[in-house]
Amino acid sequence: MYDKDNIFAKIIRGDAPSTQIYADDYAIAFQNIAPRAKTHVLVVPRGEYTDIYDFTANAPADAQAGFWNAVRKTVEKLGIENNFRAVANTGAGAGQSVFHFHVHIMSDERFKTDF
Ligand code: AMP
């Protein structure tokens, strides 16, 4: 069940602050508040989907294409085209803590992560 009061929904609405990297009609990208790498950005679709499974099963094709285009634009803006990881934790047991779908974009990792 999607919770409209999750922190990423608040950021999308402008009810919570973020340091924005990229935004368009489909997605926004902002700095992770607790980075696990020198570059650690979260790309978040504007639509209300809890995780990558929900998103790929239920989001319309234009929203899915728009989201992955925003991931690419974010990577280009960061200048890390050939050196990054993209991670989507799915489910609390797999480390997901915010239940609005997001992809972690990480580059130049400073220390080992558990995801
Ligand atoms: P996950 O554990 O995969 O759900 O990732 C959630 C991520 O959101 C964590 O890495 C948090 O550090 C990050 N996070 C939580 N609150 C905020 C916030 N207000 N602004 C930016 N990043 C956040």
Side-chain angles (χ1 to χ4, degrees):
M1 179 69 85
Y2 183 84
D3 172 12
K4 288 178 183 291
D5 283 331
N6 76 74
I7 183 63
F8 293 170
K10 289 179 181 171
I11 288 172
I12 290 165
R13 285 199 296 270
D15 292 344
S18 72
T19 302
Q20 202 166 283
I21 301 295
Y22 176 80
D24 63 23
D25 288 348
Y26 294 102
I28 65 171
F30 51 86
Q31 299 282 5
N32 193 317
I33 203 169
R36 308 288 295 262
K38 186 174 178 188
T39 298
H40 191 164
V41 169
L42 300 167
V43 189
V44 179
R46 292 188 185 274
E48 298 178 346
Y49 301 97
T50 56
D51 56 36
I52 195 171
Y53 186 85
D54 183 22
F55 182 71
T56 53
N58 298 313
D62 69 313
Q64 298 201 37
F67 174 74
W68 294 112
N69 181 64
V71 170
R72 181 176 53 79
K73 293 279 194 187
T74 300
V75 164
E76 288 174 0
K77 196 146 186 182
L78 293 166
I80 56 170
E81 290 91 328
N82 297 309
N83 178 29
F84 71 95
R85 287 203 299 151
V87 172
N89 296 321
T90 307
Q96 187 175 4
S97 59
V98 178
F99 290 86
H100 179 118
F101 170 47
H102 54 280
V103 168
H104 297 251
I105 299 295
M106 290 170 284
S107 185
D108 196 359
E109 295 176 43
R110 283 181 296 201
F111 48 84
K112 283 187 184 296
T113 69
D114 58 4
F115 53 78

